[in-house]
Amino acid sequence: MSAWLEPPDGRPYHALDLRRLSPFCLMVAGPVWSTVEGHYRPVWLAWTVAVLGAGLFVAVVLLAARGRGRAAWLPLAALGALSAAACLGWGADWFYLFPLVGLGCGAALTGRAVPRVLLACTALVALLSWRDGAGIGEIMAFAWGTFGAGAVLAAFLHLHALIGELARTREKLARAAVAEERLRFSRDLHDLLGHTLSVMVVKAEAVRRLAPRDPEAAAGQAGDIEVLGREALTQVRAAVTGYRGRGLAAELDSARVALADAGVALAVEVAEVRLAPETDALYGWAVREGTTNVIRHSRASTCEISLAGGEDGTVLEIRDDGSAQTAPAGGAHGHGLRGLDERVAAAGGTMSAGPRPGGGFVLRIELP
């Protein structure tokens, strides 16, 4: 059985391997041997029926192997008629042709036609063998031989088709997983570098302003840029190995420093809520993305970050009083907000981002 399931070249078997059924045509050897011993007359007719039966079976198998199931129905019907005629005329050994008919049904037919035709052939061979005077043992042997041959082959081919479909589905899922991982990595990299580079730009501007009048303070800002650059390298390396975020507390600390350097006053109000690790990481990403956009786009003077918890879930809001939308020019969400929206949706939450009625911008995330 393993030779049928696992070919030498490692590829899954396809329909052409039905040609392996061709040697079963040797089941006509019993009638042929009895003909040689002189049990059936006329000899030329018995030989003709035997050769024609074997040829029709091989034709059914080859046509089915080429995927031409409908074309195989004609030789299959001819094989059934020939077998019935031989059993009516001679009986005895010619009943061995009916298992070939059963195999042909399993190879050429599909769907509901398989059990229906097999049951009809089984009833026919049982009736003919009973008419020929066979005992109950022989009747059952020929009947079950005919039905079993076709049913087992049909079940095997159906299982083979299911395995092929599962293999194709697995390949599609693998490709989808790769695409999703690429998307995740691109989001992580954008979030990491977008925030860090924005802070570095702000500090570089501070160095430029302070250098003429306060070299010591400028050197301190330059040192911060060096530290940020090293942290960015560490974070990028971590992203390659599956980095998912530093968490809410760490990002709030980073936001305080970054916003202070940008001249934005920050007010934080975080309720005592116990967050799951995934939620904590996601809120950390939200704070990182929100503060990055405040620094880059809002021209705000104040920013408020609040986290509230309730029975239905938790809500994070990042509000500013800027005169411009906290989003790229054009009003559409940039890569960062789109990526954050995808993360929130994947976690079963909702996200909204837009201008505030009284001015400014608000980013709201609600997670169950």
Side-chain angles (χ1 to χ4, degrees):
M1 180 65 74
S2 61
W4 286 78
L5 294 174
E6 188 177 353
D9 58 2
R11 293 181 295 104
Y13 274 123
H14 46 78
L16 287 177
D17 294 297
L18 285 174
R19 294 178 299 179
R20 291 172 176 259
L21 295 172
S22 298
F24 280 98
C25 69
L26 296 178
M27 291 185 70
V28 302
V32 168
W33 183 258
S34 297
T35 301
V36 170
E37 290 183 340
H39 293 295
Y40 303 118
R41 293 286 189 269
V43 174
W44 66 268
L45 182 59
W47 275 98
T48 301
V49 171
V51 172
L52 186 58
L56 288 172
F57 174 74
V58 172
V60 171
V61 169
L62 294 180
L63 289 172
R66 293 172 184 171
R68 301 174 59 188
R70 290 183 178 273
W73 293 355
L74 182 59
L76 177 61
L79 177 60
L82 181 69
S83 302
C87 291
L88 280 172
W90 293 306
D93 296 328
W94 294 95
F95 285 103
Y96 287 104
L97 291 178
F98 268 96
L100 292 181
V101 177
L103 285 173
C105 291
L109 302 179
T110 57
R112 296 181 179 180
V114 178
R116 291 174 180 176
V117 177
L118 278 177
L119 287 173
C121 292
T122 301
L124 179 60
V125 71
L127 179 62
L128 291 176
S129 57
W130 173 77
R131 179 181 177 277
D132 194 57
I136 186 64
E138 291 178 314
I139 294 174
M140 293 295 294
F142 288 127
W144 281 111
T146 300
F147 184 84
V152 169
L153 179 59
F156 177 83
L157 294 178
H158 181 66
L159 178 62
H160 181 275
L162 290 178
I163 292 174
E165 184 64 27
L166 288 174
R168 289 188 292 272
T169 302
R170 183 177 61 184
E171 292 176 0
K172 292 179 180 178
L173 290 175
R175 288 194 293 269
V178 171
E180 178 63 25
E181 182 60 19
R182 286 174 179 169
L183 180 61
R184 180 204 68 81
F185 181 75
S186 67
R187 289 197 305 258
D188 287 2
L189 204 59
H190 172 273
D191 293 344
L192 287 169
L193 294 182
H195 174 78
T196 302
L197 294 177
S198 296
V199 176
M200 291 176 71
V201 168
V202 171
K203 288 186 172 292
E205 292 175 350
V207 170
R208 178 174 54 80
R209 292 194 305 268
L210 293 172
R213 63 177 187 272
D214 193 348
E216 185 176 349
Q221 294 290 342
D224 291 342
I225 293 176
E226 180 182 0
V227 172
L228 284 172
R230 296 182 184 278
E231 288 181 355
L233 288 174
T234 302
Q235 291 170 355
V236 169
R237 293 191 185 102
V240 174
T241 58
Y243 178 69
R244 287 292 180 178
R246 296 189 300 166
L248 179 59
E251 293 298 345
L252 285 174
D253 292 338
S254 178
R256 287 188 181 93
V257 176
L259 290 171
D261 290 337
V264 180
L266 174 64
V268 177
E269 183 180 351
V270 177
E272 292 294 332
V273 180
R274 189 169 186 175
L275 301 175
E278 296 81 5
T279 303
D280 184 65
L282 183 52
Y283 278 147
W285 279 119
V287 169
R288 173 183 286 263
E289 181 61 30
T291 55
T292 299
N293 285 338
V294 169
I295 294 171
R296 293 175 61 183
H297 305 293
S298 72
R299 299 194 295 272
S301 59
T302 63
C303 177
E304 300 174 357
I305 299 177
S306 65
L307 176 66
E311 295 181 358
D312 297 332
T314 54
V315 178
L316 175 74
E317 284 192 358
I318 302 175
R319 302 175 294 273
D320 65 67
D321 62 350
S323 58
Q325 289 188 341
T326 311
H333 290 174
H335 293 292
L337 289 180
R338 283 201 299 269
L340 183 60
D341 192 17
E342 292 172 359
R343 294 172 186 271
V344 172
T350 58
M351 185 191 100
S352 61
R356 299 171 65 185
F361 193 89
V362 60
L363 171 64
R364 176 186 172 88
I365 296 173
E366 184 173 356
L367 293 176

